[in-house]
């Protein structure tokens, strides 16, 4: 038996597809949205559409940005000789919050995972190697997560870069295993960065 209107059911189904939203949360959110003033619902749906239409990859570091180049790549104050490689824009944000890192970034948008069928060509590695051929980089800091996928990716990057003569380092293992970088406090991140070891 159908308890809900078709529109509510569709909304619950769509919300339920989002990561971390179970069936109960999806239903709770759907009923909350139905009870919201129309203007608030419009703001929410407009912001989703606008973000999707206007956000794209930075031409240099591949993080998400509204312009051709992100504010970090555009900034004259950043150290152009260091690139920190992270898995996603949230990890970049975590390092930026420390306020201590002055170099550039490169966002992979994922990590190598043979189990999930994600290979080196599925993440933004080619773009990284292209940058190393054209930018004055002397060190690449690999700050992928300490999960199996993150470590696999770090090893792969190290092997790829070694022949170029550019220094490759890995953030220290102070970062909890399997822990998402965005949930780690700033002091732990800074220690991991300072204690990095050459690969
Ligand atoms: Zn950028």
């Amino acid at each position: 038996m159908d308890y809900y209107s078709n529109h509510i059911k569709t909304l619950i189904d769509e919300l339920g597809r989002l990561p971390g939203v179970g069936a109960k949360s999806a239903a709770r959110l759907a009923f909350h949205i139905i009870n919201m003033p129309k203007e608030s619902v419009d703001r929410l749906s407009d912001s989703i559409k606008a973000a999707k239409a206007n956000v794209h990859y930075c031409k240099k570091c591949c993080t998400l940005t509204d312009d051709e180049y992100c504010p970090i790549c555009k900034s004259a104050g950043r150290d152009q000789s260091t690139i920190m490689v992270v898995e996603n824009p949230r990890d970049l944000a975590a390092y930026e919050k420390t306020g201590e890192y002055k170099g550039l970034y490169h966002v992979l948008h994922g990590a190598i995972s043979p189990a999930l069928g994600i290979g080196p060509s599925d993440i933004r590695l080619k773009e990284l190697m292209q940058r190393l051929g054209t930018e004055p980089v002397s060190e690449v800091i690999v700050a992928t997560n300490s999960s199996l996928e993150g470590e696999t990716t770090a090893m792969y990057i190290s092997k790829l870069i070694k022949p170029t003569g550019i220094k490759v380092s890995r953030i220290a293992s102070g970062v909890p295993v399997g822990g998402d970088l965005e949930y780690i406090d700033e002091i732990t991140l800074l220690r991991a960065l300072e204690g990095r070891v050459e690969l």
Side-chain angles (χ1 to χ4, degrees):
M1 193 200 286
D2 266 339
Y3 302 100
Y4 303 140
S5 89
N6 272 337
H7 288 298
I8 291 179
K9 192 174 173 300
T10 305
L11 184 56
I12 292 172
D13 287 348
E14 290 303 323
L15 291 168
R17 286 182 219 278
L18 299 172
V21 181
K24 273 188 188 167
S25 300
R28 199 166 58 235
L29 286 170
F31 285 108
H32 179 80
I33 290 168
I34 295 300
N35 288 317
M36 276 161 61
K38 186 178 178 302
E39 309 82 66
S40 305
V41 176
D42 287 344
R43 261 206 315 277
L44 174 62
S45 64
D46 289 350
S47 68
I48 293 172
K49 282 183 187 159
K52 187 63 192 167
N54 297 303
V55 176
H56 44 249
Y57 290 159
C58 168
K59 276 194 166 173
K60 196 167 173 178
C61 73
C62 298
T63 196
L64 296 174
T65 176
D66 293 349
D67 300 316
E68 216 176 340
Y69 294 99
C70 75
I72 296 169
C73 287
K74 277 196 284 200
S75 164
R78 308 294 296 217
D79 169 16
Q80 308 284 320
S81 70
T82 312
I83 292 180
M84 187 195 290
V85 179
V86 293
E87 289 185 21
N88 56 57
R90 299 189 311 271
D91 294 344
L92 180 156
Y95 273 103
E96 274 305 284
K97 257 190 245 159
T98 68
E100 293 292 324
Y101 177 68
K102 302 294 181 206
L104 301 176
Y105 292 92
H106 189 83
V107 180
L108 295 172
H109 294 279
I112 296 169
S113 171
L116 293 173
I118 301 168
S121 59
D122 297 316
I123 58 177
R124 302 272 156 165
L125 266 180
K126 193 177 74 205
E127 288 83 350
L128 173 65
M129 296 313 290
Q130 276 165 358
R131 290 181 68 185
L132 298 186
T134 54
E135 294 174 36
V137 181
S138 58
E139 181 179 0
V140 173
I141 303 167
V142 185
T144 51
N145 288 338
S146 53
S147 59
L148 176 62
E149 292 79 14
E151 293 299 345
T152 305
T153 308
M155 282 300 130
Y156 191 89
I157 291 174
S158 160
K159 271 190 203 144
L160 217 54
I161 295 179
K162 270 279 168 65
T164 67
I166 295 168
K167 183 179 169 189
V168 190
S169 56
R170 177 87 174 108
I171 54 166
S173 53
V175 178
V177 173
D180 272 8
L181 287 182
E182 60 178 318
Y183 296 122
I184 293 160
D185 69 82
E186 290 162 27
I187 292 161
T188 308
L189 273 186
L190 279 180
R191 282 206 193 113
L193 183 58
E194 278 160 10
R196 66 185 183 271
V197 287
E198 197 163 345
L199 285 175

